[in-house]
Amino acid sequence: MKNFFNLLFLLVCFSISKAQQAVVVSVKYEELEKRIQQEKDKFLVVNFWSTTCGPCVKELPHFMEVNNKYAGNPKFKMILVSLDRLADMEKVVKFIKNKNLTAEVILLDDIKRMNTWIPRFNKDWDGNIPVTVFYKNGQKVYFNDGEMSKEDLEKVVEQNL
């Protein structure tokens, strides 16, 4: 019986460590830029998405598989940048729980200035999502415009870790 309770305790601890975010931080572009620079010692995957974007929702399970695979690697970090409206924050939090999103989620509340910050990520980005930007040592190493397959995502990560 003691072993059962020990196992139960370990399972609860593991599930808490893999828990989704209960709170999503809302930021402006400049804050997101600082956040990206804070992770310059890691291989950083930054995915722009929305709860209302079909291709975004379709690819997110692949991102979670890859995030979970590398979660223990101190040189890896994934940030999911929601482009949902600030008024839909509760919907985003529910989405995180329902889809079991384990990567950090940030809501970019800066849609009015999108024509200013979008070209800073990539001059050819037309604003459509999903988009994924990969950084290594604080420098952009790869830009993917559109949905990514699990295989393509893993390939970019493996080549850069």
mmCIF file of all heavy atoms in Angstrom, residues 47-64 80-81 84 95 99 101 125-132 144-150 153:
data_model
loop_
_atom_site.group_PDB
_atom_site.id
_atom_site.type_symbol
_atom_site.label_atom_id
_atom_site.label_comp_id
_atom_site.label_asym_id
_atom_site.label_seq_id
_atom_site.Cartn_x
_atom_site.Cartn_y
_atom_site.Cartn_z
ATOM 1 N N ASN A 47 6.273 30.486 -32.174
ATOM 2 C CA ASN A 47 5.181 30.197 -33.097
ATOM 3 C C ASN A 47 4.061 31.212 -32.913
ATOM 4 O O ASN A 47 3.586 31.414 -31.804
ATOM 5 C CB ASN A 47 4.655 28.776 -32.846
ATOM 6 C CG ASN A 47 3.485 28.432 -33.740
ATOM 7 O OD1 ASN A 47 2.335 28.485 -33.304
ATOM 8 N ND2 ASN A 47 3.764 28.076 -34.967
ATOM 9 N N PHE A 48 3.668 31.867 -34.008
ATOM 10 C CA PHE A 48 2.557 32.814 -34.007
ATOM 11 C C PHE A 48 1.312 32.071 -34.467
ATOM 12 O O PHE A 48 1.325 31.443 -35.535
ATOM 13 C CB PHE A 48 2.854 33.986 -34.945
ATOM 14 C CG PHE A 48 3.962 34.867 -34.455
ATOM 15 C CD1 PHE A 48 5.283 34.571 -34.759
ATOM 16 C CD2 PHE A 48 3.689 35.986 -33.683
ATOM 17 C CE1 PHE A 48 6.313 35.378 -34.311
ATOM 18 C CE2 PHE A 48 4.712 36.802 -33.221
ATOM 19 C CZ PHE A 48 6.029 36.496 -33.532
ATOM 20 N N TRP A 49 0.246 32.172 -33.699
ATOM 21 C CA TRP A 49 -0.961 31.391 -33.947
ATOM 22 C C TRP A 49 -2.177 32.117 -33.388
ATOM 23 O O TRP A 49 -2.065 33.176 -32.782
ATOM 24 C CB TRP A 49 -0.831 30.018 -33.273
ATOM 25 C CG TRP A 49 -0.785 30.137 -31.775
ATOM 26 C CD1 TRP A 49 0.262 30.586 -31.022
ATOM 27 C CD2 TRP A 49 -1.846 29.860 -30.866
ATOM 28 N NE1 TRP A 49 -0.096 30.597 -29.694
ATOM 29 C CE2 TRP A 49 -1.373 30.151 -29.562
ATOM 30 C CE3 TRP A 49 -3.151 29.391 -31.019
ATOM 31 C CZ2 TRP A 49 -2.156 29.983 -28.437
ATOM 32 C CZ3 TRP A 49 -3.939 29.225 -29.882
ATOM 33 C CH2 TRP A 49 -3.431 29.504 -28.609
ATOM 34 N N SER A 50 -3.346 31.516 -33.587
ATOM 35 C CA SER A 50 -4.595 32.042 -33.045
ATOM 36 C C SER A 50 -5.567 30.880 -32.863
ATOM 37 O O SER A 50 -5.510 29.896 -33.609
ATOM 38 C CB SER A 50 -5.184 33.069 -34.009
ATOM 39 O OG SER A 50 -6.513 33.373 -33.679
ATOM 40 N N THR A 51 -6.458 31.011 -31.904
ATOM 41 C CA THR A 51 -7.452 29.960 -31.667
ATOM 42 C C THR A 51 -8.431 29.835 -32.827
ATOM 43 O O THR A 51 -9.074 28.802 -32.985
ATOM 44 C CB THR A 51 -8.257 30.240 -30.376
ATOM 45 O OG1 THR A 51 -8.902 31.516 -30.498
ATOM 46 C CG2 THR A 51 -7.356 30.219 -29.153
ATOM 47 N N THR A 52 -8.545 30.871 -33.660
ATOM 48 C CA THR A 52 -9.495 30.863 -34.775
ATOM 49 C C THR A 52 -8.843 30.475 -36.105
ATOM 50 O O THR A 52 -9.499 30.492 -37.138
ATOM 51 C CB THR A 52 -10.153 32.242 -34.926
ATOM 52 O OG1 THR A 52 -9.137 33.219 -35.140
ATOM 53 C CG2 THR A 52 -10.963 32.603 -33.690
ATOM 54 N N CYS A 53 -7.574 30.120 -36.072
ATOM 55 C CA CYS A 53 -6.826 29.767 -37.281
ATOM 56 C C CYS A 53 -6.760 28.246 -37.408
ATOM 57 O O CYS A 53 -6.085 27.587 -36.616
ATOM 58 C CB CYS A 53 -5.423 30.381 -37.196
ATOM 59 S SG CYS A 53 -4.218 29.715 -38.352
ATOM 60 N N GLY A 54 -7.454 27.706 -38.400
ATOM 61 C CA GLY A 54 -7.496 26.255 -38.599
ATOM 62 C C GLY A 54 -6.128 25.597 -38.727
ATOM 63 O O GLY A 54 -5.831 24.623 -38.026
ATOM 64 N N PRO A 55 -5.256 26.089 -39.637
ATOM 65 C CA PRO A 55 -3.931 25.485 -39.766
ATOM 66 C C PRO A 55 -3.095 25.603 -38.480
ATOM 67 O O PRO A 55 -2.306 24.707 -38.165
ATOM 68 C CB PRO A 55 -3.278 26.274 -40.902
ATOM 69 C CG PRO A 55 -4.417 26.826 -41.699
ATOM 70 C CD PRO A 55 -5.502 27.089 -40.692
ATOM 71 N N CYS A 56 -3.298 26.683 -37.725
ATOM 72 C CA CYS A 56 -2.573 26.855 -36.451
ATOM 73 C C CYS A 56 -2.975 25.752 -35.470
ATOM 74 O O CYS A 56 -2.122 25.098 -34.856
ATOM 75 C CB CYS A 56 -2.900 28.206 -35.818
ATOM 76 S SG CYS A 56 -2.526 29.650 -36.816
ATOM 77 N N VAL A 57 -4.282 25.575 -35.321
ATOM 78 C CA VAL A 57 -4.803 24.580 -34.387
ATOM 79 C C VAL A 57 -4.366 23.176 -34.821
ATOM 80 O O VAL A 57 -4.017 22.345 -33.982
ATOM 81 C CB VAL A 57 -6.343 24.691 -34.286
ATOM 82 C CG1 VAL A 57 -6.927 23.564 -33.472
ATOM 83 C CG2 VAL A 57 -6.730 26.052 -33.697
ATOM 84 N N LYS A 58 -4.334 22.947 -36.121
ATOM 85 C CA LYS A 58 -3.949 21.634 -36.649
ATOM 86 C C LYS A 58 -2.487 21.306 -36.324
ATOM 87 O O LYS A 58 -2.164 20.160 -36.021
ATOM 88 C CB LYS A 58 -4.174 21.598 -38.157
ATOM 89 C CG LYS A 58 -3.874 20.267 -38.796
ATOM 90 C CD LYS A 58 -4.129 20.310 -40.289
ATOM 91 C CE LYS A 58 -3.660 19.021 -40.944
ATOM 92 N NZ LYS A 58 -3.670 19.130 -42.396
ATOM 93 N N GLU A 59 -1.592 22.286 -36.381
ATOM 94 C CA GLU A 59 -0.178 22.012 -36.172
ATOM 95 C C GLU A 59 0.225 22.006 -34.692
ATOM 96 O O GLU A 59 1.282 21.485 -34.337
ATOM 97 C CB GLU A 59 0.701 22.990 -36.947
ATOM 98 C CG GLU A 59 0.796 24.372 -36.356
ATOM 99 C CD GLU A 59 1.747 25.309 -37.079
ATOM 100 O OE1 GLU A 59 2.369 24.928 -38.080
ATOM 101 O OE2 GLU A 59 1.848 26.463 -36.619
ATOM 102 N N LEU A 60 -0.581 22.582 -33.824
ATOM 103 C CA LEU A 60 -0.199 22.689 -32.414
ATOM 104 C C LEU A 60 0.113 21.351 -31.739
ATOM 105 O O LEU A 60 1.058 21.289 -30.935
ATOM 106 C CB LEU A 60 -1.250 23.461 -31.621
ATOM 107 C CG LEU A 60 -1.150 24.981 -31.742
ATOM 108 C CD1 LEU A 60 -2.333 25.660 -31.064
ATOM 109 C CD2 LEU A 60 0.162 25.519 -31.194
ATOM 110 N N PRO A 61 -0.608 20.265 -32.018
ATOM 111 C CA PRO A 61 -0.221 18.984 -31.391
ATOM 112 C C PRO A 61 1.215 18.567 -31.748
ATOM 113 O O PRO A 61 1.929 18.012 -30.908
ATOM 114 C CB PRO A 61 -1.243 17.985 -31.943
ATOM 115 C CG PRO A 61 -2.436 18.817 -32.264
ATOM 116 C CD PRO A 61 -1.878 20.137 -32.746
ATOM 117 N N HIS A 62 1.659 18.864 -32.965
ATOM 118 C CA HIS A 62 3.044 18.555 -33.355
ATOM 119 C C HIS A 62 4.021 19.381 -32.523
ATOM 120 O O HIS A 62 5.056 18.890 -32.080
ATOM 121 C CB HIS A 62 3.282 18.832 -34.840
ATOM 122 C CG HIS A 62 2.336 18.133 -35.752
ATOM 123 N ND1 HIS A 62 2.076 16.792 -35.677
ATOM 124 C CD2 HIS A 62 1.579 18.602 -36.774
ATOM 125 C CE1 HIS A 62 1.196 16.457 -36.600
ATOM 126 N NE2 HIS A 62 0.876 17.541 -37.288
ATOM 127 N N PHE A 63 3.682 20.644 -32.332
ATOM 128 C CA PHE A 63 4.535 21.523 -31.531
ATOM 129 C C PHE A 63 4.608 21.018 -30.091
ATOM 130 O O PHE A 63 5.670 21.051 -29.477
ATOM 131 C CB PHE A 63 4.031 22.973 -31.592
ATOM 132 C CG PHE A 63 4.480 23.683 -32.838
ATOM 133 C CD1 PHE A 63 3.872 23.439 -34.064
ATOM 134 C CD2 PHE A 63 5.520 24.594 -32.793
ATOM 135 C CE1 PHE A 63 4.297 24.082 -35.216
ATOM 136 C CE2 PHE A 63 5.948 25.243 -33.944
ATOM 137 C CZ PHE A 63 5.340 24.984 -35.160
ATOM 138 N N MET A 64 3.477 20.527 -29.557
ATOM 139 C CA MET A 64 3.491 20.026 -28.185
ATOM 140 C C MET A 64 4.317 18.743 -28.072
ATOM 141 O O MET A 64 5.036 18.551 -27.099
ATOM 142 C CB MET A 64 2.067 19.788 -27.673
ATOM 143 C CG MET A 64 1.303 21.073 -27.426
ATOM 144 S SD MET A 64 2.180 22.325 -26.460
ATOM 145 C CE MET A 64 3.032 23.266 -27.722
ATOM 146 N N LEU A 80 4.682 30.115 -27.598
ATOM 147 C CA LEU A 80 3.547 30.231 -28.506
ATOM 148 C C LEU A 80 2.961 31.621 -28.340
ATOM 149 O O LEU A 80 2.512 31.989 -27.251
ATOM 150 C CB LEU A 80 2.498 29.166 -28.172
ATOM 151 C CG LEU A 80 2.977 27.719 -28.199
ATOM 152 C CD1 LEU A 80 1.852 26.786 -27.749
ATOM 153 C CD2 LEU A 80 3.475 27.332 -29.579
ATOM 154 N N VAL A 81 2.971 32.399 -29.409
ATOM 155 C CA VAL A 81 2.494 33.778 -29.367
ATOM 156 C C VAL A 81 1.099 33.836 -29.987
ATOM 157 O O VAL A 81 0.948 33.744 -31.207
ATOM 158 C CB VAL A 81 3.462 34.725 -30.112
ATOM 159 C CG1 VAL A 81 2.941 36.162 -30.041
ATOM 160 C CG2 VAL A 81 4.869 34.626 -29.539
ATOM 161 N N ASP A 84 -4.686 36.271 -30.746
ATOM 162 C CA ASP A 84 -6.090 36.490 -30.409
ATOM 163 C C ASP A 84 -6.248 37.874 -29.778
ATOM 164 O O ASP A 84 -5.285 38.445 -29.260
ATOM 165 C CB ASP A 84 -6.562 35.416 -29.422
ATOM 166 C CG ASP A 84 -6.704 34.062 -30.087
ATOM 167 O OD1 ASP A 84 -7.715 33.858 -30.777
ATOM 168 O OD2 ASP A 84 -5.810 33.227 -29.915
ATOM 169 N N PHE A 95 -8.562 27.321 -24.161
ATOM 170 C CA PHE A 95 -7.960 26.600 -25.277
ATOM 171 C C PHE A 95 -6.685 25.890 -24.816
ATOM 172 O O PHE A 95 -6.449 24.736 -25.157
ATOM 173 C CB PHE A 95 -7.662 27.572 -26.420
ATOM 174 C CG PHE A 95 -7.139 26.926 -27.660
ATOM 175 C CD1 PHE A 95 -8.009 26.490 -28.647
ATOM 176 C CD2 PHE A 95 -5.778 26.751 -27.858
ATOM 177 C CE1 PHE A 95 -7.530 25.886 -29.806
ATOM 178 C CE2 PHE A 95 -5.284 26.153 -29.007
ATOM 179 C CZ PHE A 95 -6.170 25.715 -29.978
ATOM 180 N N LYS A 99 -6.475 21.887 -25.063
ATOM 181 C CA LYS A 99 -5.522 21.311 -26.023
ATOM 182 C C LYS A 99 -4.233 20.837 -25.353
ATOM 183 O O LYS A 99 -3.317 20.387 -26.034
ATOM 184 C CB LYS A 99 -5.176 22.332 -27.121
ATOM 185 C CG LYS A 99 -6.357 22.748 -27.967
ATOM 186 C CD LYS A 99 -6.909 21.590 -28.753
ATOM 187 C CE LYS A 99 -8.032 22.056 -29.672
ATOM 188 N NZ LYS A 99 -8.611 20.967 -30.432
ATOM 189 N N LEU A 101 -1.735 22.456 -23.940
ATOM 190 C CA LEU A 101 -0.545 23.153 -24.407
ATOM 191 C C LEU A 101 0.438 23.297 -23.249
ATOM 192 O O LEU A 101 0.116 23.886 -22.219
ATOM 193 C CB LEU A 101 -0.904 24.533 -24.968
ATOM 194 C CG LEU A 101 -1.888 24.562 -26.132
ATOM 195 C CD1 LEU A 101 -2.034 25.987 -26.661
ATOM 196 C CD2 LEU A 101 -1.465 23.620 -27.248
ATOM 197 N N TRP A 125 7.127 38.514 -44.557
ATOM 198 C CA TRP A 125 5.937 37.996 -43.878
ATOM 199 C C TRP A 125 4.755 38.899 -44.192
ATOM 200 O O TRP A 125 4.787 40.096 -43.928
ATOM 201 C CB TRP A 125 6.195 37.901 -42.378
ATOM 202 C CG TRP A 125 5.055 37.325 -41.578
ATOM 203 C CD1 TRP A 125 3.964 36.646 -42.045
ATOM 204 C CD2 TRP A 125 4.891 37.394 -40.167
ATOM 205 N NE1 TRP A 125 3.143 36.274 -41.014
ATOM 206 C CE2 TRP A 125 3.688 36.720 -39.842
ATOM 207 C CE3 TRP A 125 5.642 37.962 -39.134
ATOM 208 C CZ2 TRP A 125 3.230 36.593 -38.538
ATOM 209 C CZ3 TRP A 125 5.174 37.826 -37.841
ATOM 210 C CH2 TRP A 125 3.984 37.147 -37.549
ATOM 211 N N ASP A 126 3.695 38.329 -44.754
ATOM 212 C CA ASP A 126 2.512 39.108 -45.137
ATOM 213 C C ASP A 126 1.479 39.222 -44.018
ATOM 214 O O ASP A 126 0.429 39.824 -44.211
ATOM 215 C CB ASP A 126 1.870 38.525 -46.393
ATOM 216 C CG ASP A 126 1.377 37.097 -46.207
ATOM 217 O OD1 ASP A 126 1.408 36.583 -45.061
ATOM 218 O OD2 ASP A 126 0.960 36.485 -47.212
ATOM 219 N N GLY A 127 1.770 38.653 -42.857
ATOM 220 C CA GLY A 127 0.851 38.734 -41.724
ATOM 221 C C GLY A 127 -0.006 37.509 -41.518
ATOM 222 O O GLY A 127 -0.686 37.382 -40.503
ATOM 223 N N ASN A 128 -0.025 36.601 -42.509
ATOM 224 C CA ASN A 128 -0.789 35.367 -42.347
ATOM 225 C C ASN A 128 -0.147 34.485 -41.289
ATOM 226 O O ASN A 128 1.063 34.511 -41.093
ATOM 227 C CB ASN A 128 -0.886 34.605 -43.668
ATOM 228 C CG ASN A 128 -1.825 35.268 -44.645
ATOM 229 O OD1 ASN A 128 -2.771 35.932 -44.254
ATOM 230 N ND2 ASN A 128 -1.553 35.102 -45.929
ATOM 231 N N ILE A 129 -0.965 33.672 -40.622
ATOM 232 C CA ILE A 129 -0.470 32.709 -39.651
ATOM 233 C C ILE A 129 -0.992 31.334 -40.016
ATOM 234 O O ILE A 129 -1.966 31.236 -40.760
ATOM 235 C CB ILE A 129 -0.894 33.098 -38.202
ATOM 236 C CG1 ILE A 129 -2.401 33.352 -38.109
ATOM 237 C CG2 ILE A 129 -0.091 34.264 -37.702
ATOM 238 C CD1 ILE A 129 -2.912 33.605 -36.705
ATOM 239 N N PRO A 130 -0.347 30.285 -39.586
ATOM 240 C CA PRO A 130 0.744 30.230 -38.623
ATOM 241 C C PRO A 130 2.088 30.622 -39.238
ATOM 242 O O PRO A 130 2.308 30.456 -40.430
ATOM 243 C CB PRO A 130 0.774 28.775 -38.181
ATOM 244 C CG PRO A 130 0.244 28.015 -39.358
ATOM 245 C CD PRO A 130 -0.775 28.935 -39.990
ATOM 246 N N VAL A 131 2.939 31.136 -38.372
ATOM 247 C CA VAL A 131 4.319 31.469 -38.718
ATOM 248 C C VAL A 131 5.183 31.026 -37.549
ATOM 249 O O VAL A 131 4.796 31.201 -36.396
ATOM 250 C CB VAL A 131 4.475 32.980 -38.981
ATOM 251 C CG1 VAL A 131 5.897 33.447 -38.770
ATOM 252 C CG2 VAL A 131 4.031 33.324 -40.391
ATOM 253 N N THR A 132 6.345 30.457 -37.863
ATOM 254 C CA THR A 132 7.274 30.042 -36.823
ATOM 255 C C THR A 132 8.643 30.614 -37.128
ATOM 256 O O THR A 132 9.130 30.504 -38.253
ATOM 257 C CB THR A 132 7.348 28.498 -36.728
ATOM 258 O OG1 THR A 132 6.018 27.977 -36.620
ATOM 259 C CG2 THR A 132 8.157 28.073 -35.521
ATOM 260 N N ASN A 144 9.560 30.031 -40.952
ATOM 261 C CA ASN A 144 8.619 29.170 -41.661
ATOM 262 C C ASN A 144 7.265 29.860 -41.749
ATOM 263 O O ASN A 144 6.627 30.121 -40.733
ATOM 264 C CB ASN A 144 8.457 27.822 -40.951
ATOM 265 C CG ASN A 144 7.635 26.867 -41.788
ATOM 266 O OD1 ASN A 144 8.164 26.241 -42.676
ATOM 267 N ND2 ASN A 144 6.346 26.775 -41.511
ATOM 268 N N ASP A 145 6.854 30.166 -42.963
ATOM 269 C CA ASP A 145 5.580 30.814 -43.224
ATOM 270 C C ASP A 145 4.577 29.735 -43.595
ATOM 271 O O ASP A 145 4.684 29.115 -44.646
ATOM 272 C CB ASP A 145 5.746 31.824 -44.366
ATOM 273 C CG ASP A 145 4.530 32.709 -44.545
ATOM 274 O OD1 ASP A 145 3.540 32.543 -43.808
ATOM 275 O OD2 ASP A 145 4.566 33.576 -45.432
ATOM 276 N N GLY A 146 3.623 29.484 -42.707
ATOM 277 C CA GLY A 146 2.613 28.462 -42.966
ATOM 278 C C GLY A 146 2.735 27.300 -41.999
ATOM 279 O O GLY A 146 3.592 27.265 -41.126
ATOM 280 N N GLU A 147 1.825 26.364 -42.188
ATOM 281 C CA GLU A 147 1.754 25.191 -41.313
ATOM 282 C C GLU A 147 3.020 24.336 -41.426
ATOM 283 O O GLU A 147 3.556 24.175 -42.513
ATOM 284 C CB GLU A 147 0.522 24.378 -41.722
ATOM 285 C CG GLU A 147 0.206 23.219 -40.840
ATOM 286 C CD GLU A 147 -1.034 22.465 -41.300
ATOM 287 O OE1 GLU A 147 -1.886 23.054 -42.013
ATOM 288 O OE2 GLU A 147 -1.134 21.283 -40.976
ATOM 289 N N MET A 148 3.464 23.801 -40.287
ATOM 290 C CA MET A 148 4.642 22.931 -40.262
ATOM 291 C C MET A 148 4.233 21.521 -39.885
ATOM 292 O O MET A 148 3.453 21.323 -38.964
ATOM 293 C CB MET A 148 5.673 23.409 -39.231
ATOM 294 C CG MET A 148 6.517 24.556 -39.675
ATOM 295 S SD MET A 148 7.915 24.826 -38.564
ATOM 296 C CE MET A 148 9.157 23.822 -39.380
ATOM 297 N N SER A 149 4.801 20.567 -40.586
ATOM 298 C CA SER A 149 4.598 19.172 -40.214
ATOM 299 C C SER A 149 5.497 18.858 -39.022
ATOM 300 O O SER A 149 6.483 19.560 -38.756
ATOM 301 C CB SER A 149 4.943 18.243 -41.377
ATOM 302 O OG SER A 149 6.347 18.272 -41.608
ATOM 303 N N LYS A 150 5.170 17.807 -38.320
ATOM 304 C CA LYS A 150 5.995 17.386 -37.183
ATOM 305 C C LYS A 150 7.414 17.077 -37.664
ATOM 306 O O LYS A 150 8.393 17.433 -37.003
ATOM 307 C CB LYS A 150 5.386 16.170 -36.505
ATOM 308 C CG LYS A 150 6.175 15.696 -35.308
ATOM 309 C CD LYS A 150 5.567 14.459 -34.697
ATOM 310 C CE LYS A 150 6.478 13.907 -33.624
ATOM 311 N NZ LYS A 150 6.075 12.568 -33.225
ATOM 312 N N LEU A 153 9.336 20.324 -38.372
ATOM 313 C CA LEU A 153 9.639 20.979 -37.108
ATOM 314 C C LEU A 153 10.795 20.270 -36.395
ATOM 315 O O LEU A 153 11.758 20.908 -35.965
ATOM 316 C CB LEU A 153 8.391 21.005 -36.217
ATOM 317 C CG LEU A 153 8.532 21.595 -34.822
ATOM 318 C CD1 LEU A 153 8.995 23.047 -34.885
ATOM 319 C CD2 LEU A 153 7.204 21.483 -34.079
#
